[in-house]
Amino acid sequence: MKNKSYIGLSFIILVFGIIFIPKIINRIKSGSVVQGDRIDAVSNHKTAENGLLTIGPAPSFELIDQNNEKVSNETYKGKVYVLEFFFSTCPSICPIMNKNMVSIQNEFFGNPNFGIASITINPDYDTAAVLKEHAALIGVKSSNWHMLTGNKEYIFDISNKGFNIYAGENNKVAGGFEHSGLFALIDKEGNIRCRKDKFGNPILYYDGLEKAGVKAITEDIKKLLNE
């Protein structure tokens, strides 16, 4: 009986190795291991002299902005930028996020090394033309603030699987979509950066709804611009 148990266990281990090890290796090679496991392995996060942690590379993306031009993560190479997910007809948290993002824009207006990426989660409605009108409405002035649209499934993958910032459709809520009010901070090398909370843990993302979160990300943008 013991021999049969050992044979069965060996078979399970062999099957696991055949199925999962190649996937793990591919994730490591592509760097996507950071996307799914960003919250884990906190000890692997590097802390810079300015106190900010490096979480890992931000997901790559390529979308269309309010000027109907292609914009990707490479567009922001060499720049510090803030990224959010929103939609123009949002009746709840987006107006607050928009207001706070405009205040961040104004703080760094004229600095060519700073940018903003606002990705809509309702691209079926938020076309480039709609986003251009919305940008004018809320006070977008910076040429480095791109409001982005594209394929809905692709955008949801960037949000949920890439950044692990929740976004989804829900016809039971006002506006038909739900999402977080978080801002992601990315450095000049394309890495997600953040500060620690009072317990010494990485906050990962910044609260885009509260003054404390906006103050914190503004302070940390300045630190990254000086790196």
Side-chain angles (χ1 to χ4, degrees):
M1 290 296 291
K2 287 184 178 181
N3 288 337
K4 291 182 179 179
S5 298
Y6 289 141
I7 292 171
L9 180 60
S10 298
F11 179 76
I12 291 171
I13 292 171
L14 177 62
V15 170
F16 177 88
I18 292 172
I19 295 175
F20 292 104
I21 288 178
K23 293 182 179 181
I24 293 171
I25 292 172
N26 286 336
R27 289 187 68 194
I28 292 171
K29 286 181 178 179
S30 66
S32 61
V33 66
V34 179
Q35 298 172 10
D37 306 318
R38 188 166 286 131
I39 297 176
D40 300 326
V42 172
S43 61
N44 291 333
H45 298 154
K46 297 179 180 179
T47 305
E49 291 182 4
N50 58 22
L52 298 182
L53 294 163
T54 299
I55 303 303
S60 59
F61 61 86
E62 182 175 282
L63 296 161
I64 300 297
D65 75 357
Q66 70 268 34
N67 297 313
N68 209 33
E69 296 178 355
K70 285 186 179 181
V71 171
S72 72
N73 53 297
E74 289 297 315
T75 304
Y76 294 93
K77 196 70 180 291
K79 294 179 175 62
V80 175
Y81 70 102
V82 179
L83 182 144
E84 66 171 345
F85 294 91
F86 85 112
F87 61 108
S88 68
T89 56
C90 172
S92 53
I93 66 174
C94 293
I96 302 172
M97 295 170 69
N98 288 164
K99 181 181 177 181
N100 289 336
M101 195 68 87
V102 167
S103 72
I104 294 172
Q105 169 200 241
N106 294 342
E107 179 73 23
F108 300 98
F109 186 70
N111 190 326
N113 297 318
F114 176 71
I116 299 171
S118 298
I119 303 177
T120 179
I121 59 172
N122 185 16
D124 292 341
Y125 178 82
D126 286 337
T127 61
V130 169
L131 291 179
K132 192 173 184 68
E133 291 181 3
H134 185 71
L137 180 66
I138 67 172
V140 172
K141 297 183 295 183
S142 172
S143 60
N144 288 329
W145 185 344
H146 301 280
M147 311 201 91
L148 303 169
T149 188
N151 176 270
K152 184 190 296 183
E153 184 178 352
Y154 177 73
I155 289 172
F156 278 10
D157 279 348
I158 296 170
S159 177
N160 296 314
K161 298 178 182 180
F163 282 95
N164 292 324
I165 296 178
Y166 175 70
E169 292 186 82
N170 186 346
N171 57 18
K172 294 182 180 180
V173 301
F177 293 84
E178 53 188 3
H179 63 107
S180 78
L182 298 175
F183 292 166
L185 178 59
I186 297 101
D187 67 17
K188 297 173 185 176
E189 301 300 320
N191 293 309
I192 298 172
R193 303 288 292 275
C194 73
R195 60 171 55 189
K196 298 177 183 178
D197 64 18
K198 63 181 179 180
F199 302 108
N201 299 315
I203 65 169
L204 299 181
Y205 302 115
Y206 296 77
D207 190 334
L209 300 173
E210 300 295 332
K211 289 183 178 179
V214 176
K215 181 175 181 291
I217 198 169
T218 300
E219 292 172 352
D220 294 347
I221 290 167
K222 292 177 182 178
K223 291 177 182 178
L224 293 182
L225 286 171
N226 289 325
E227 281 190 340

PDB file of all heavy atoms in Angstrom, residues 157-195:
ATOM      1  N   ASP A 157      -8.161  44.345 -18.457  1.00  0.00           N
ATOM      2  CA  ASP A 157      -6.985  43.518 -18.162  1.00  0.00           C
ATOM      3  C   ASP A 157      -5.854  44.371 -17.586  1.00  0.00           C
ATOM      4  O   ASP A 157      -5.170  43.959 -16.646  1.00  0.00           O
ATOM      5  CB  ASP A 157      -6.496  42.799 -19.424  1.00  0.00           C
ATOM      6  CG  ASP A 157      -7.297  41.543 -19.736  1.00  0.00           C
ATOM      7  OD1 ASP A 157      -8.077  41.110 -18.867  1.00  0.00           O
ATOM      8  OD2 ASP A 157      -7.146  40.998 -20.845  1.00  0.00           O
ATOM      9  N   ILE A 158      -5.656  45.558 -18.154  1.00  0.00           N
ATOM     10  CA  ILE A 158      -4.620  46.456 -17.629  1.00  0.00           C
ATOM     11  C   ILE A 158      -4.919  46.808 -16.180  1.00  0.00           C
ATOM     12  O   ILE A 158      -4.029  46.793 -15.319  1.00  0.00           O
ATOM     13  CB  ILE A 158      -4.545  47.746 -18.467  1.00  0.00           C
ATOM     14  CG1 ILE A 158      -4.119  47.450 -19.901  1.00  0.00           C
ATOM     15  CG2 ILE A 158      -3.562  48.744 -17.829  1.00  0.00           C
ATOM     16  CD1 ILE A 158      -4.261  48.647 -20.829  1.00  0.00           C
ATOM     17  N   SER A 159      -6.188  47.098 -15.910  1.00  0.00           N
ATOM     18  CA  SER A 159      -6.589  47.502 -14.563  1.00  0.00           C
ATOM     19  C   SER A 159      -6.536  46.352 -13.576  1.00  0.00           C
ATOM     20  O   SER A 159      -5.825  46.414 -12.567  1.00  0.00           O
ATOM     21  CB  SER A 159      -8.006  48.087 -14.612  1.00  0.00           C
ATOM     22  OG  SER A 159      -8.448  48.433 -13.314  1.00  0.00           O
ATOM     23  N   ASN A 160      -7.284  45.287 -13.870  1.00  0.00           N
ATOM     24  CA  ASN A 160      -7.464  44.199 -12.906  1.00  0.00           C
ATOM     25  C   ASN A 160      -6.295  43.222 -12.833  1.00  0.00           C
ATOM     26  O   ASN A 160      -5.931  42.767 -11.751  1.00  0.00           O
ATOM     27  CB  ASN A 160      -8.746  43.431 -13.236  1.00  0.00           C
ATOM     28  CG  ASN A 160      -9.983  44.293 -13.083  1.00  0.00           C
ATOM     29  OD1 ASN A 160     -10.137  45.003 -12.100  1.00  0.00           O
ATOM     30  ND2 ASN A 160     -10.878  44.245 -14.060  1.00  0.00           N
ATOM     31  N   LYS A 161      -5.721  42.902 -13.982  1.00  0.00           N
ATOM     32  CA  LYS A 161      -4.634  41.922 -14.013  1.00  0.00           C
ATOM     33  C   LYS A 161      -3.259  42.580 -14.007  1.00  0.00           C
ATOM     34  O   LYS A 161      -2.289  41.975 -13.536  1.00  0.00           O
ATOM     35  CB  LYS A 161      -4.764  41.018 -15.242  1.00  0.00           C
ATOM     36  CG  LYS A 161      -6.033  40.192 -15.266  1.00  0.00           C
ATOM     37  CD  LYS A 161      -6.113  39.344 -16.537  1.00  0.00           C
ATOM     38  CE  LYS A 161      -7.407  38.538 -16.593  1.00  0.00           C
ATOM     39  NZ  LYS A 161      -7.489  37.721 -17.834  1.00  0.00           N
ATOM     40  N   GLY A 162      -3.182  43.782 -14.556  1.00  0.00           N
ATOM     41  CA  GLY A 162      -1.901  44.473 -14.623  1.00  0.00           C
ATOM     42  C   GLY A 162      -1.572  45.208 -13.346  1.00  0.00           C
ATOM     43  O   GLY A 162      -0.622  44.867 -12.644  1.00  0.00           O
ATOM     44  N   PHE A 163      -2.403  46.204 -13.023  1.00  0.00           N
ATOM     45  CA  PHE A 163      -2.156  47.006 -11.827  1.00  0.00           C
ATOM     46  C   PHE A 163      -2.797  46.432 -10.568  1.00  0.00           C
ATOM     47  O   PHE A 163      -2.476  46.847  -9.461  1.00  0.00           O
ATOM     48  CB  PHE A 163      -2.675  48.432 -12.039  1.00  0.00           C
ATOM     49  CG  PHE A 163      -1.774  49.291 -12.889  1.00  0.00           C
ATOM     50  CD1 PHE A 163      -1.990  49.417 -14.254  1.00  0.00           C
ATOM     51  CD2 PHE A 163      -0.706  49.969 -12.323  1.00  0.00           C
ATOM     52  CE1 PHE A 163      -1.161  50.205 -15.042  1.00  0.00           C
ATOM     53  CE2 PHE A 163       0.135  50.754 -13.096  1.00  0.00           C
ATOM     54  CZ  PHE A 163      -0.093  50.874 -14.465  1.00  0.00           C
ATOM     55  N   ASN A 164      -3.744  45.496 -10.740  1.00  0.00           N
ATOM     56  CA  ASN A 164      -4.528  45.007  -9.600  1.00  0.00           C
ATOM     57  C   ASN A 164      -5.318  46.142  -8.963  1.00  0.00           C
ATOM     58  O   ASN A 164      -5.474  46.215  -7.741  1.00  0.00           O
ATOM     59  CB  ASN A 164      -3.637  44.334  -8.548  1.00  0.00           C
ATOM     60  CG  ASN A 164      -3.043  43.035  -9.034  1.00  0.00           C
ATOM     61  OD1 ASN A 164      -3.684  42.288  -9.770  1.00  0.00           O
ATOM     62  ND2 ASN A 164      -1.814  42.755  -8.646  1.00  0.00           N
ATOM     63  N   ILE A 165      -5.800  47.061  -9.805  1.00  0.00           N
ATOM     64  CA  ILE A 165      -6.695  48.128  -9.370  1.00  0.00           C
ATOM     65  C   ILE A 165      -8.072  47.796  -9.947  1.00  0.00           C
ATOM     66  O   ILE A 165      -8.258  47.798 -11.153  1.00  0.00           O
ATOM     67  CB  ILE A 165      -6.221  49.509  -9.871  1.00  0.00           C
ATOM     68  CG1 ILE A 165      -4.867  49.861  -9.248  1.00  0.00           C
ATOM     69  CG2 ILE A 165      -7.242  50.583  -9.552  1.00  0.00           C
ATOM     70  CD1 ILE A 165      -4.293  51.188  -9.723  1.00  0.00           C
ATOM     71  N   TYR A 166      -9.037  47.520  -9.084  1.00  0.00           N
ATOM     72  CA  TYR A 166     -10.312  46.975  -9.542  1.00  0.00           C
ATOM     73  C   TYR A 166     -11.108  47.929 -10.422  1.00  0.00           C
ATOM     74  O   TYR A 166     -11.238  49.115 -10.134  1.00  0.00           O
ATOM     75  CB  TYR A 166     -11.188  46.559  -8.359  1.00  0.00           C
ATOM     76  CG  TYR A 166     -12.558  46.103  -8.800  1.00  0.00           C
ATOM     77  CD1 TYR A 166     -12.706  44.900  -9.499  1.00  0.00           C
ATOM     78  CD2 TYR A 166     -13.687  46.894  -8.583  1.00  0.00           C
ATOM     79  CE1 TYR A 166     -13.951  44.487  -9.947  1.00  0.00           C
ATOM     80  CE2 TYR A 166     -14.933  46.485  -9.026  1.00  0.00           C
ATOM     81  CZ  TYR A 166     -15.055  45.275  -9.716  1.00  0.00           C
ATOM     82  OH  TYR A 166     -16.290  44.875 -10.168  1.00  0.00           O
ATOM     83  N   ALA A 167     -11.671  47.370 -11.506  1.00  0.00           N
ATOM     84  CA  ALA A 167     -12.630  48.069 -12.355  1.00  0.00           C
ATOM     85  C   ALA A 167     -13.557  47.018 -12.959  1.00  0.00           C
ATOM     86  O   ALA A 167     -13.105  45.937 -13.341  1.00  0.00           O
ATOM     87  CB  ALA A 167     -11.926  48.857 -13.453  1.00  0.00           C
ATOM     88  N   GLY A 168     -14.843  47.316 -13.025  1.00  0.00           N
ATOM     89  CA  GLY A 168     -15.776  46.351 -13.597  1.00  0.00           C
ATOM     90  C   GLY A 168     -17.123  46.974 -13.910  1.00  0.00           C
ATOM     91  O   GLY A 168     -17.435  48.085 -13.472  1.00  0.00           O
ATOM     92  N   GLU A 169     -17.918  46.261 -14.691  1.00  0.00           N
ATOM     93  CA  GLU A 169     -19.278  46.700 -15.007  1.00  0.00           C
ATOM     94  C   GLU A 169     -20.237  46.188 -13.945  1.00  0.00           C
ATOM     95  O   GLU A 169     -20.113  45.069 -13.462  1.00  0.00           O
ATOM     96  CB  GLU A 169     -19.701  46.178 -16.381  1.00  0.00           C
ATOM     97  CG  GLU A 169     -18.946  46.788 -17.540  1.00  0.00           C
ATOM     98  CD  GLU A 169     -19.506  46.353 -18.881  1.00  0.00           C
ATOM     99  OE1 GLU A 169     -20.511  46.949 -19.328  1.00  0.00           O
ATOM    100  OE2 GLU A 169     -18.951  45.412 -19.475  1.00  0.00           O
ATOM    101  N   ASN A 170     -21.223  47.024 -13.589  1.00  0.00           N
ATOM    102  CA  ASN A 170     -22.242  46.635 -12.618  1.00  0.00           C
ATOM    103  C   ASN A 170     -23.471  47.496 -12.874  1.00  0.00           C
ATOM    104  O   ASN A 170     -23.488  48.678 -12.543  1.00  0.00           O
ATOM    105  CB  ASN A 170     -21.742  46.834 -11.180  1.00  0.00           C
ATOM    106  CG  ASN A 170     -22.731  46.310 -10.152  1.00  0.00           C
ATOM    107  OD1 ASN A 170     -23.887  46.029 -10.473  1.00  0.00           O
ATOM    108  ND2 ASN A 170     -22.279  46.179  -8.917  1.00  0.00           N
ATOM    109  N   ASN A 171     -24.495  46.894 -13.490  1.00  0.00           N
ATOM    110  CA  ASN A 171     -25.677  47.680 -13.855  1.00  0.00           C
ATOM    111  C   ASN A 171     -26.547  48.040 -12.661  1.00  0.00           C
ATOM    112  O   ASN A 171     -27.561  48.736 -12.796  1.00  0.00           O
ATOM    113  CB  ASN A 171     -26.516  46.940 -14.916  1.00  0.00           C
ATOM    114  CG  ASN A 171     -26.939  45.545 -14.457  1.00  0.00           C
ATOM    115  OD1 ASN A 171     -26.914  45.228 -13.272  1.00  0.00           O
ATOM    116  ND2 ASN A 171     -27.313  44.704 -15.415  1.00  0.00           N
ATOM    117  N   LYS A 172     -26.128  47.589 -11.472  1.00  0.00           N
ATOM    118  CA  LYS A 172     -26.889  47.903 -10.256  1.00  0.00           C
ATOM    119  C   LYS A 172     -26.386  49.174  -9.568  1.00  0.00           C
ATOM    120  O   LYS A 172     -26.995  49.640  -8.607  1.00  0.00           O
ATOM    121  CB  LYS A 172     -26.831  46.734  -9.282  1.00  0.00           C
ATOM    122  CG  LYS A 172     -27.527  45.478  -9.790  1.00  0.00           C
ATOM    123  CD  LYS A 172     -27.476  44.362  -8.759  1.00  0.00           C
ATOM    124  CE  LYS A 172     -28.189  43.115  -9.279  1.00  0.00           C
ATOM    125  NZ  LYS A 172     -28.141  42.007  -8.284  1.00  0.00           N
ATOM    126  N   VAL A 173     -25.267  49.698 -10.045  1.00  0.00           N
ATOM    127  CA  VAL A 173     -24.722  50.913  -9.436  1.00  0.00           C
ATOM    128  C   VAL A 173     -24.906  52.091 -10.388  1.00  0.00           C
ATOM    129  O   VAL A 173     -25.020  51.909 -11.605  1.00  0.00           O
ATOM    130  CB  VAL A 173     -23.225  50.765  -9.081  1.00  0.00           C
ATOM    131  CG1 VAL A 173     -23.018  49.613  -8.118  1.00  0.00           C
ATOM    132  CG2 VAL A 173     -22.377  50.550 -10.335  1.00  0.00           C
ATOM    133  N   ALA A 174     -24.928  53.289  -9.841  1.00  0.00           N
ATOM    134  CA  ALA A 174     -25.091  54.498 -10.653  1.00  0.00           C
ATOM    135  C   ALA A 174     -23.946  54.624 -11.652  1.00  0.00           C
ATOM    136  O   ALA A 174     -22.787  54.498 -11.278  1.00  0.00           O
ATOM    137  CB  ALA A 174     -25.136  55.725  -9.752  1.00  0.00           C
ATOM    138  N   GLY A 175     -24.276  54.809 -12.896  1.00  0.00           N
ATOM    139  CA  GLY A 175     -23.258  54.937 -13.942  1.00  0.00           C
ATOM    140  C   GLY A 175     -22.931  53.645 -14.644  1.00  0.00           C
ATOM    141  O   GLY A 175     -22.359  53.651 -15.730  1.00  0.00           O
ATOM    142  N   GLY A 176     -23.279  52.489 -14.020  1.00  0.00           N
ATOM    143  CA  GLY A 176     -23.090  51.188 -14.651  1.00  0.00           C
ATOM    144  C   GLY A 176     -21.703  50.589 -14.518  1.00  0.00           C
ATOM    145  O   GLY A 176     -21.453  49.486 -15.001  1.00  0.00           O
ATOM    146  N   PHE A 177     -20.785  51.308 -13.870  1.00  0.00           N
ATOM    147  CA  PHE A 177     -19.430  50.807 -13.665  1.00  0.00           C
ATOM    148  C   PHE A 177     -19.012  51.083 -12.222  1.00  0.00           C
ATOM    149  O   PHE A 177     -19.482  52.039 -11.604  1.00  0.00           O
ATOM    150  CB  PHE A 177     -18.426  51.492 -14.608  1.00  0.00           C
ATOM    151  CG  PHE A 177     -18.627  51.164 -16.052  1.00  0.00           C
ATOM    152  CD1 PHE A 177     -19.552  51.865 -16.820  1.00  0.00           C
ATOM    153  CD2 PHE A 177     -17.884  50.159 -16.656  1.00  0.00           C
ATOM    154  CE1 PHE A 177     -19.737  51.574 -18.161  1.00  0.00           C
ATOM    155  CE2 PHE A 177     -18.057  49.856 -17.995  1.00  0.00           C
ATOM    156  CZ  PHE A 177     -18.986  50.555 -18.748  1.00  0.00           C
ATOM    157  N   GLU A 178     -18.109  50.256 -11.723  1.00  0.00           N
ATOM    158  CA  GLU A 178     -17.533  50.514 -10.403  1.00  0.00           C
ATOM    159  C   GLU A 178     -16.023  50.339 -10.476  1.00  0.00           C
ATOM    160  O   GLU A 178     -15.512  49.530 -11.247  1.00  0.00           O
ATOM    161  CB  GLU A 178     -18.137  49.581  -9.351  1.00  0.00           C
ATOM    162  CG  GLU A 178     -18.085  48.109  -9.673  1.00  0.00           C
ATOM    163  CD  GLU A 178     -18.865  47.264  -8.672  1.00  0.00           C
ATOM    164  OE1 GLU A 178     -19.482  47.848  -7.769  1.00  0.00           O
ATOM    165  OE2 GLU A 178     -18.845  46.026  -8.815  1.00  0.00           O
ATOM    166  N   HIS A 179     -15.337  51.142  -9.678  1.00  0.00           N
ATOM    167  CA  HIS A 179     -13.875  51.126  -9.708  1.00  0.00           C
ATOM    168  C   HIS A 179     -13.353  51.797  -8.455  1.00  0.00           C
ATOM    169  O   HIS A 179     -14.111  52.407  -7.694  1.00  0.00           O
ATOM    170  CB  HIS A 179     -13.348  51.844 -10.956  1.00  0.00           C
ATOM    171  CG  HIS A 179     -13.701  53.299 -11.022  1.00  0.00           C
ATOM    172  ND1 HIS A 179     -12.771  54.291 -10.819  1.00  0.00           N
ATOM    173  CD2 HIS A 179     -14.887  53.926 -11.254  1.00  0.00           C
ATOM    174  CE1 HIS A 179     -13.370  55.469 -10.928  1.00  0.00           C
ATOM    175  NE2 HIS A 179     -14.649  55.263 -11.204  1.00  0.00           N
ATOM    176  N   SER A 180     -12.057  51.679  -8.240  1.00  0.00           N
ATOM    177  CA  SER A 180     -11.449  52.292  -7.064  1.00  0.00           C
ATOM    178  C   SER A 180     -11.067  53.731  -7.385  1.00  0.00           C
ATOM    179  O   SER A 180     -11.008  54.132  -8.539  1.00  0.00           O
ATOM    180  CB  SER A 180     -10.201  51.519  -6.638  1.00  0.00           C
ATOM    181  OG  SER A 180      -9.118  51.850  -7.475  1.00  0.00           O
ATOM    182  N   GLY A 181     -10.780  54.469  -6.348  1.00  0.00           N
ATOM    183  CA  GLY A 181     -10.334  55.850  -6.520  1.00  0.00           C
ATOM    184  C   GLY A 181      -8.843  55.984  -6.307  1.00  0.00           C
ATOM    185  O   GLY A 181      -8.363  57.007  -5.818  1.00  0.00           O
ATOM    186  N   LEU A 182      -8.098  54.974  -6.713  1.00  0.00           N
ATOM    187  CA  LEU A 182      -6.660  54.950  -6.460  1.00  0.00           C
ATOM    188  C   LEU A 182      -5.856  55.573  -7.593  1.00  0.00           C
ATOM    189  O   LEU A 182      -6.222  55.459  -8.759  1.00  0.00           O
ATOM    190  CB  LEU A 182      -6.197  53.506  -6.238  1.00  0.00           C
ATOM    191  CG  LEU A 182      -6.804  52.782  -5.038  1.00  0.00           C
ATOM    192  CD1 LEU A 182      -6.334  51.322  -5.020  1.00  0.00           C
ATOM    193  CD2 LEU A 182      -6.434  53.474  -3.730  1.00  0.00           C
ATOM    194  N   PHE A 183      -4.748  56.205  -7.222  1.00  0.00           N
ATOM    195  CA  PHE A 183      -3.776  56.736  -8.175  1.00  0.00           C
ATOM    196  C   PHE A 183      -2.503  55.905  -8.085  1.00  0.00           C
ATOM    197  O   PHE A 183      -2.003  55.665  -6.987  1.00  0.00           O
ATOM    198  CB  PHE A 183      -3.428  58.191  -7.859  1.00  0.00           C
ATOM    199  CG  PHE A 183      -4.540  59.177  -8.086  1.00  0.00           C
ATOM    200  CD1 PHE A 183      -4.451  60.466  -7.569  1.00  0.00           C
ATOM    201  CD2 PHE A 183      -5.671  58.846  -8.817  1.00  0.00           C
ATOM    202  CE1 PHE A 183      -5.456  61.395  -7.776  1.00  0.00           C
ATOM    203  CE2 PHE A 183      -6.693  59.758  -9.027  1.00  0.00           C
ATOM    204  CZ  PHE A 183      -6.585  61.045  -8.510  1.00  0.00           C
ATOM    205  N   ALA A 184      -1.976  55.484  -9.231  1.00  0.00           N
ATOM    206  CA  ALA A 184      -0.689  54.777  -9.271  1.00  0.00           C
ATOM    207  C   ALA A 184       0.410  55.775  -9.607  1.00  0.00           C
ATOM    208  O   ALA A 184       0.223  56.656 -10.447  1.00  0.00           O
ATOM    209  CB  ALA A 184      -0.722  53.668 -10.320  1.00  0.00           C
ATOM    210  N   LEU A 185       1.553  55.623  -8.958  1.00  0.00           N
ATOM    211  CA  LEU A 185       2.694  56.509  -9.184  1.00  0.00           C
ATOM    212  C   LEU A 185       3.812  55.718  -9.854  1.00  0.00           C
ATOM    213  O   LEU A 185       4.263  54.695  -9.324  1.00  0.00           O
ATOM    214  CB  LEU A 185       3.176  57.096  -7.856  1.00  0.00           C
ATOM    215  CG  LEU A 185       4.403  58.017  -7.894  1.00  0.00           C
ATOM    216  CD1 LEU A 185       4.159  59.217  -8.802  1.00  0.00           C
ATOM    217  CD2 LEU A 185       4.762  58.471  -6.480  1.00  0.00           C
ATOM    218  N   ILE A 186       4.259  56.184 -11.030  1.00  0.00           N
ATOM    219  CA  ILE A 186       5.279  55.474 -11.805  1.00  0.00           C
ATOM    220  C   ILE A 186       6.478  56.389 -12.015  1.00  0.00           C
ATOM    221  O   ILE A 186       6.317  57.571 -12.319  1.00  0.00           O
ATOM    222  CB  ILE A 186       4.707  55.008 -13.167  1.00  0.00           C
ATOM    223  CG1 ILE A 186       3.556  54.007 -12.947  1.00  0.00           C
ATOM    224  CG2 ILE A 186       5.779  54.332 -13.998  1.00  0.00           C
ATOM    225  CD1 ILE A 186       2.197  54.566 -13.086  1.00  0.00           C
ATOM    226  N   ASP A 187       7.669  55.833 -11.845  1.00  0.00           N
ATOM    227  CA  ASP A 187       8.883  56.648 -11.946  1.00  0.00           C
ATOM    228  C   ASP A 187       9.406  56.727 -13.382  1.00  0.00           C
ATOM    229  O   ASP A 187       8.802  56.188 -14.317  1.00  0.00           O
ATOM    230  CB  ASP A 187       9.965  56.152 -10.974  1.00  0.00           C
ATOM    231  CG  ASP A 187      10.514  54.771 -11.332  1.00  0.00           C
ATOM    232  OD1 ASP A 187      10.328  54.312 -12.469  1.00  0.00           O
ATOM    233  OD2 ASP A 187      11.149  54.145 -10.455  1.00  0.00           O
ATOM    234  N   LYS A 188      10.540  57.396 -13.558  1.00  0.00           N
ATOM    235  CA  LYS A 188      11.099  57.644 -14.886  1.00  0.00           C
ATOM    236  C   LYS A 188      11.515  56.359 -15.605  1.00  0.00           C
ATOM    237  O   LYS A 188      11.617  56.327 -16.825  1.00  0.00           O
ATOM    238  CB  LYS A 188      12.306  58.580 -14.777  1.00  0.00           C
ATOM    239  CG  LYS A 188      11.976  59.956 -14.239  1.00  0.00           C
ATOM    240  CD  LYS A 188      13.243  60.763 -13.997  1.00  0.00           C
ATOM    241  CE  LYS A 188      12.950  62.101 -13.350  1.00  0.00           C
ATOM    242  NZ  LYS A 188      14.173  62.868 -13.019  1.00  0.00           N
ATOM    243  N   GLU A 189      11.749  55.294 -14.826  1.00  0.00           N
ATOM    244  CA  GLU A 189      12.156  54.022 -15.414  1.00  0.00           C
ATOM    245  C   GLU A 189      10.975  53.091 -15.665  1.00  0.00           C
ATOM    246  O   GLU A 189      11.159  51.956 -16.104  1.00  0.00           O
ATOM    247  CB  GLU A 189      13.169  53.324 -14.495  1.00  0.00           C
ATOM    248  CG  GLU A 189      14.435  54.136 -14.224  1.00  0.00           C
ATOM    249  CD  GLU A 189      15.187  54.435 -15.500  1.00  0.00           C
ATOM    250  OE1 GLU A 189      15.264  53.538 -16.359  1.00  0.00           O
ATOM    251  OE2 GLU A 189      15.696  55.565 -15.657  1.00  0.00           O
ATOM    252  N   GLY A 190       9.761  53.555 -15.374  1.00  0.00           N
ATOM    253  CA  GLY A 190       8.578  52.733 -15.613  1.00  0.00           C
ATOM    254  C   GLY A 190       8.228  51.812 -14.471  1.00  0.00           C
ATOM    255  O   GLY A 190       7.475  50.851 -14.654  1.00  0.00           O
ATOM    256  N   ASN A 191       8.748  52.087 -13.274  1.00  0.00           N
ATOM    257  CA  ASN A 191       8.452  51.261 -12.103  1.00  0.00           C
ATOM    258  C   ASN A 191       7.393  51.895 -11.219  1.00  0.00           C
ATOM    259  O   ASN A 191       7.373  53.119 -11.036  1.00  0.00           O
ATOM    260  CB  ASN A 191       9.715  51.048 -11.264  1.00  0.00           C
ATOM    261  CG  ASN A 191      10.753  50.210 -11.977  1.00  0.00           C
ATOM    262  OD1 ASN A 191      10.450  49.125 -12.470  1.00  0.00           O
ATOM    263  ND2 ASN A 191      11.973  50.717 -12.045  1.00  0.00           N
ATOM    264  N   ILE A 192       6.518  51.067 -10.668  1.00  0.00           N
ATOM    265  CA  ILE A 192       5.537  51.535  -9.700  1.00  0.00           C
ATOM    266  C   ILE A 192       6.247  51.817  -8.385  1.00  0.00           C
ATOM    267  O   ILE A 192       7.003  50.983  -7.889  1.00  0.00           O
ATOM    268  CB  ILE A 192       4.426  50.490  -9.483  1.00  0.00           C
ATOM    269  CG1 ILE A 192       3.663  50.249 -10.783  1.00  0.00           C
ATOM    270  CG2 ILE A 192       3.473  50.930  -8.378  1.00  0.00           C
ATOM    271  CD1 ILE A 192       2.679  49.099 -10.715  1.00  0.00           C
ATOM    272  N   ARG A 193       6.000  53.001  -7.847  1.00  0.00           N
ATOM    273  CA  ARG A 193       6.652  53.415  -6.603  1.00  0.00           C
ATOM    274  C   ARG A 193       5.604  53.810  -5.570  1.00  0.00           C
ATOM    275  O   ARG A 193       4.480  54.203  -5.908  1.00  0.00           O
ATOM    276  CB  ARG A 193       7.585  54.596  -6.872  1.00  0.00           C
ATOM    277  CG  ARG A 193       8.651  54.321  -7.923  1.00  0.00           C
ATOM    278  CD  ARG A 193       9.727  53.381  -7.440  1.00  0.00           C
ATOM    279  NE  ARG A 193      10.539  54.003  -6.406  1.00  0.00           N
ATOM    280  CZ  ARG A 193      11.590  54.789  -6.650  1.00  0.00           C
ATOM    281  NH1 ARG A 193      11.957  55.042  -7.897  1.00  0.00           N
ATOM    282  NH2 ARG A 193      12.287  55.308  -5.653  1.00  0.00           N
ATOM    283  N   CYS A 194       5.971  53.716  -4.304  1.00  0.00           N
ATOM    284  CA  CYS A 194       5.054  54.147  -3.248  1.00  0.00           C
ATOM    285  C   CYS A 194       5.812  54.368  -1.954  1.00  0.00           C
ATOM    286  O   CYS A 194       6.983  53.999  -1.829  1.00  0.00           O
ATOM    287  CB  CYS A 194       3.936  53.126  -3.036  1.00  0.00           C
ATOM    288  SG  CYS A 194       4.480  51.598  -2.211  1.00  0.00           S
ATOM    289  N   ARG A 195       5.129  54.928  -0.979  1.00  0.00           N
ATOM    290  CA  ARG A 195       5.688  55.103   0.355  1.00  0.00           C
ATOM    291  C   ARG A 195       5.193  53.986   1.272  1.00  0.00           C
ATOM    292  O   ARG A 195       4.364  53.155   0.869  1.00  0.00           O
ATOM    293  CB  ARG A 195       5.293  56.464   0.927  1.00  0.00           C
ATOM    294  CG  ARG A 195       3.790  56.673   1.068  1.00  0.00           C
ATOM    295  CD  ARG A 195       3.457  57.945   1.828  1.00  0.00           C
ATOM    296  NE  ARG A 195       4.068  59.127   1.240  1.00  0.00           N
ATOM    297  CZ  ARG A 195       4.059  60.326   1.832  1.00  0.00           C
ATOM    298  NH1 ARG A 195       3.445  60.486   3.007  1.00  0.00           N
ATOM    299  NH2 ARG A 195       4.632  61.363   1.255  1.00  0.00           N
TER     300      ARG A 195
END
